[in-house]
Amino acid sequence: MTVVAIVCFALLGAGAVLILARLALGPSLLDRVVSTDALLVTIACGIAVYCAVYRDISLEPVLLVVALLAFVGSVSVARYIGGMLVKAEETPEERS
Amino acid sequence: MTVADVVASVCLVAGSFLCLTAGLGLVRFPDVLNRMHAATKPQVLGVLLVMTGAVIRLVGQPIVWMLVLVAVFQLLTAPVSAHLVSRVAYRRRHVRRDLLLVDELGVPAPSGSTAAARADEPAEGPERAGG
Amino acid sequence: MSARVGRLRQQGLLLVWLVLVWNLLWGTFSWANLLSGALLAVVVTTLLPLPPVTTSGRFRPLAALRFLGRFLLDLLVSSVEVSWLAFRPGRHRSAIITVQLRTDSDLLLTVIAEALSLVPGSLVLDLDRERKVMAIHLVQVRDAAHVERQRANVLGMEDRVVRAFGSAEDIARLDDPSTETPETEGVGRR
């Protein structure tokens, strides 16, 4: 099981590093929203792997919170940008 | 290791691998919409697999229901956030038109489209530093 | 009268769902959890009311199972496809297509959009509610024939969803070819 843990954490860690690279590179705000979302989901996966491998359930509420936070965060930022868009352009078809 | 452990391990590793794929796609794909595909989609299956593995390992403890709940929330919420982000991305024209084979939606670019695109950040400049 | 019954049924379903989530959060089903969950659900639904959704359809287990199975298969296959795309050297072409849908129910359209967005490779960009036209971003297309195949896939997904959850009316509309022709003019089909 330790081998599984090492392999999983290596894969997740590499994924997280790549996501962080995109988070740093941008170039737009939306790219960063997407990568933050992906990063939080990766963290949730990491917590789940930890819980599973060591049969330790103390972190599971954190798992739930992180998974929901990813959703709430990306939706609120996307809506915020959408609002800026409506204000910036003020064309009728943009206002849905 | 029992059979259940083996199945759980396979699920965990496969799920982690899909998360790595998400990161790779996020770095390599050319525009926001493509990156959305890379970031949210393999991850949905990845999360489902990791949760399945965890449920198999932790079965018998009352807390496994929370894992089920996480998986269900993921299934319900991922499309919503993906849709919101992608719609904003399309309207802000963070889309590489030259990479589209077909564009049937074809919202005509307004006269000030370059200015609008610059209002946030460039849709896609030349890839900076190491692209 | 029937609208009232429908609304009550819908409220009931929402309450059951909220109580279930509450119990899952605590991890155990106990009387205390059930009671406090029910109380909380009532408080939440009265304080934050949702707009009513017209649920005219009914649930067909066999068709739903077919939809679910095909959905899981799609999820698996196209996850592998997108992963391969991320690893493969070279660039790919994507496309935005519009698809003329035939169903006219908010709930069914929501289910279709959710399912389409969850399956990798397609992403719902926009939905024109009046004309029932859905704009979909496809991550990888090879040529025009491939685009048409993807369009057929989307319509197949609609077909399965409506046959699983739609009312008899919706299914009749699905089979009626005349609903498709007048509105497709100029929105898709190149």
Side-chain angles (χ1 to χ4, degrees), chain C residues 67-123:
Chain C
F67 161 65
L68 202 70
R70 182 63 193 270
F71 171 72
L72 286 179
L73 188 72
D74 278 352
L75 193 65
L76 209 69
V77 168
S78 35
S79 282
V80 173
E81 268 177 21
V82 175
S83 309
W84 168 236
L85 217 58
F87 274 100
R88 192 189 66 169
R91 287 265 159 105
H92 56 271
R93 307 288 301 269
S94 40
I96 296 176
I97 62 169
T98 55
V99 179
Q100 173 72 50
L101 297 175
R102 294 153 295 181
T103 176
D104 193 24
S105 137
D106 285 329
L107 185 70
L108 290 179
L109 283 172
T110 313
V111 174
I112 294 168
E114 281 247 342
L116 278 176
S117 288
L118 270 178
V119 170
S122 56
L123 189 65

Side-chain angles (χ1 to χ4, degrees), chain A residues 36 41 45 53 58 74 77 89 94 96:
Chain A
T36 314
V41 175
C45 282
V53 170
S58 54
S74 60
V77 177
E89 297 197 358
E94 305 281 5
S96 58

Side-chain angles (χ1 to χ4, degrees), chain A residues 16-88:
Chain A
V17 168
L18 288 171
I19 293 170
L20 279 174
R22 177 48 73 195
L23 191 64
L25 284 174
S28 78
L29 197 51
L30 284 169
D31 287 305
R32 299 199 166 98
V33 173
V34 174
S35 11
T36 314
D37 192 3
L39 188 62
L40 280 171
V41 175
T42 307
I43 290 171
C45 282
I47 295 172
V49 168
Y50 172 81
C51 291
V53 170
Y54 297 105
R55 291 219 161 104
D56 178 1
I57 56 173
S58 54
L59 278 179
E60 276 193 35
V62 184
L63 176 66
L64 195 68
V65 171
V66 169
L68 281 183
L69 203 62
F71 167 67
V72 174
S74 60
V75 164
S76 45
V77 177
R79 282 200 64 104
Y80 173 67
I81 301 173
M84 285 196 327
L85 180 70
V86 171
K87 267 193 215 125

